[in-house]
Every structure is written in C-alpha cells, then in structure tokens.
Amino acid sequence: MHAKISLPAFISEGMVLQQQTSASLWGKALSGKTITVRASWDNMNYSTKADKEGRWRIQLKTPQAGGPYFIVFSEGNDSLTLHDVWVGEVWLCSGQSNMEMPMKGFKNQPVEGSNMDILKSTNSQLRLFTVKRHSTLAAQEDVEGEWQTANPVSVSEFSATAYYFGRLLQEILKVPVGLICSSWGGSPIESWMDRDMLQSFPGIKLPQTEEDIKEKNRTPTTLFNGMIAPLVGFAIKGVIWYQGESNYDRYTSYADLLVAMVNGWRMKWNQGVFPFYYCQIAPYDYRLITPHGEEVINSAYLREAQLKAENRIENSGMAVLLDAGLEKGIHPPKKQIAGERLALLAFAKTYRIGGIVADSPVYKDMTIKGDTAILSFDRAEMWLTAPKGDLENFKMAGLDKKFYPADAWINRSKVYVRSEAVKHPVAVRYAFENYVEGDLYGTEGLPVSSFRTDDW
C-alpha cells in the first residue's frame, strides 16, 4: 500500500541518480506527516516533514556509480519501495526537432545507420526517459513519462542525438548513464525560458492567459513551464542542447537569449555552473521554407550567433555540424556525428579525459599582404587540413563589399585566400551560406565553423 506517498514520474523504478552528489528526492504526502527515506547503498534514514500543501523534499548523498539499489519511502505504516535504481551520470537533453528526432527517424526522413544501431542497442546500464510534450501557462510539478532500459523497442523511439551521446558516454565511462529528453519540434528558444529569463527582452510578447497559447510549441515560457520546470532540482551532470532552426530569422537576439536561458536554468537548478554543450545548427537550404516573394534569410548569421555565445557561456562547448547538413532537409540524418561530437565535449571538458580534442579550430584574425588575405586560427595546435581536397567555400570582397569566389590554401595553421576579382581585399567569408558542405577541418577531424571577417 502506498496511496499516501506520491512521487514525480522521473523519481521511479529504473531511474539513474547522479553519482557522488547531494541528490534531491521529493513528492507529496499528507500535510505535516514525517517522511523517512532509506537508500540501500548506505542504509541511513533521512527524514523530513511534509509542508501544509503536502510537499516534501529530501537530500540523499549518493555514492560512486553502481547498482542496482532500492530506495524505501515511509510515512508511518505506509511505504513505497523503488527497485532497480542506479547511480551514475545523468544528462538533460533538450531542444527542438533535431533533438527530438527519434532513432527510427521521421517519416521519409531517416537517421543514418540507425536500424543496425537499434538492433544492437540493448544495454541495462543505459536508461532513457522521454518527457511527454506539454505546453502550459503555469509552471507544473510533474511530467508524463517513464524510465526505460535501452533496448531495440525503447531506443527506436528515443532521441537519436541523445542516444548516440549517451551510448558513447556509457561505453567509455563504464558507469550507468541516465538521459532525460525534453524536446519539441519547431520550438524557438523563447518557449524554453520562463518570465524571469525573458524580462530583459521587452519585445517578446508573453502569454497572459491560456487563450494566448495559439501555437503550443512556439509560445514563450510554455515549454519551460510544462517540460523543464518539473525537472528543476533533479540532480544532473549537465545539459546537451540542439536548437536554433526556429530562431534563424531572429539571429540578432539569439546569443543574448541563449546566455539568458543557460544562466536561468543554472540558477533554477542551484547546483553551480553545470556543463552546457550544444549543437550549432547544420546547413540547410532555407529557401525551401521561405514564403514566395519574401527575402531568404541566411542562417549563417544564426550559426555565427551560436559561435559567439560559446565565449559568453561559462563551462560550455559547441559541436560544429558544418559537414553534417542536408540541403533539402532540415533534419539531417547524421545524428551519430551530432551526438558523438557532444560527447567529445563532455569527455574533454567535464570528465577530463586527456589525449583527445573536442573543440573545432576557430577563426582568430586576418592580415592582408598585397592581394592575399592570411587567416589565423585558435585551437589549431595540430594545424588545419582539407581532407576533401580543395577548399571551395571561401569568398573575398574589396571596398565595394561584393563577394567573389576565392582560391584558398592551407599553410600549417593559417589559410591563405585570394581572388582574381579582388585586387585589394578587405573581407573574407568562409561557408557563409544557408547550405554548404564544410571542407576546412582541424587535423583531429573536427570542422571549422562558418565565419566572416567583416561585420557588414
């Protein structure tokens, strides 16, 4: 019998708790009653009282990764036992459709190689929780969903980007890994922020009543309220994020919004500056979704905003996907690349595994010698390379601000650029188009982001 004690959906059998931390567990009981919690890893009793609304919260010290454990929640003669509880690494995975896209793909939109990966996916040490879509004006206390063990059935329905991230984490760290995916296709970043996070953006119209929610996935604050707020306080190692396509036409505010969202989430969780790793949106021909007669907006400006945000967000990293886009599809199939590049960031920056490189080289500065521009790069200790052959994505402009195709070649960690059409170069752009196939890499195999030397 356990009618008097209730727990959120994500505090349940099959869950993973973050290791070696003070993990919050909470729920509801009768007002004023004493709740006692005992975990099998230490057999200590932790007690607290339910407040006048029946809410209670308790902190448990978690051990090193391991399991399975059980946790007993008691109130008088009433008790509830959760079995199959593991302790390991917990990551929150959020964003829009490229995070939501399941391993089985969308209709007519595959995930590359997923069928065989689904077949081989059974792993008792990898646990998956998908938050059901919920858009609402008021912050919620619970979500719908359940913890599932990785197997072909559960993995086929789970986020491909998150799965590839978690699979590699589990393989390398050899500890239980729990992934909580809270994402919704077509959602702008404003939907994943609450009122406090958006207060410095007066141009954003906030909903005042439920009737103001005209588009459930596109209304500011509503997805935070329904799909993030209930999770706040559940101990995590960090966050991975894949979003931006729905903000490509409002790129000027995106870096500020992303900084505000990350700061806001960290403040809500109150567990320090946890890691935040995100994907730069992949190349795609946005003409395909631009209404006839309207100007086609260059999504390279949004990629640029994401690149700039990396320097403004402490303990962060960006996975560049310039070589993993799809010209005629906004959902590129190369999700293993996305997930594993996010995992590389975690291995290098969070888990401190030496000998690997997780950051793409990044443009530093330009000097002009005659008709040639010489570009320097940071994070290119092993120099640069063009594994696909010639560099075909560089353009150059003079004082007239007209860009022409340019020849480019690599010398160690520098790129030299010149164009027959530009005798006196002023600016250079690399891959600064909606759809490109990135061809400039660090020697370690990570692509350089699109960039420009100008601010025109």
Side-chain angles (χ1 to χ4, degrees), residues 85 149 323 363 368 442:
V85 173
T149 303
D323 58 342
Y363 165 74
I368 304 294

Side-chain angles (χ1 to χ4, degrees), residues 1 29 80 153 352 375:
M1 177 181 178
L80 169 60
V153 173
R352 305 293 180 183
L375 310 180

Side-chain angles (χ1 to χ4, degrees), residues 16-22 62-66 86-90 173 175-176 235 237 351:
V16 180
L17 295 176
Q18 179 59 41
Q19 67 171 322
Q20 295 179 291
T21 191
S22 181
T62 55
Q64 285 187 329
W86 297 80
V87 176
E89 295 296 288
V90 181
L173 301 177
V175 299
K237 188 67 171 185
Y351 299 110

Side-chain angles (χ1 to χ4, degrees), residues 88-143:
E89 295 296 288
V90 181
W91 286 80
L92 174 60
C93 318
S94 189
Q96 58 180 113
S97 56
N98 274 307
M99 180 62 79
E100 186 179 38
M101 188 178 190
M103 282 290 286
K104 69 180 184 182
F106 293 137
K107 289 180 178 178
N108 197 39
Q109 300 175 78
V111 170
E112 189 176 276
S114 65
N115 204 38
M116 292 303 294
D117 288 337
I118 289 169
L119 175 65
K120 301 173 184 177
S121 64
T122 298
N123 185 349
S124 65
Q125 300 289 285
L126 182 57
R127 303 298 172 97
L128 316 171
F129 188 103
T130 299
V131 174
K132 185 178 179 180
R133 291 173 166 185
H134 188 31
S135 172
T136 182
L137 190 67
Q140 301 298 293
E141 295 187 0
D142 202 357
V143 299

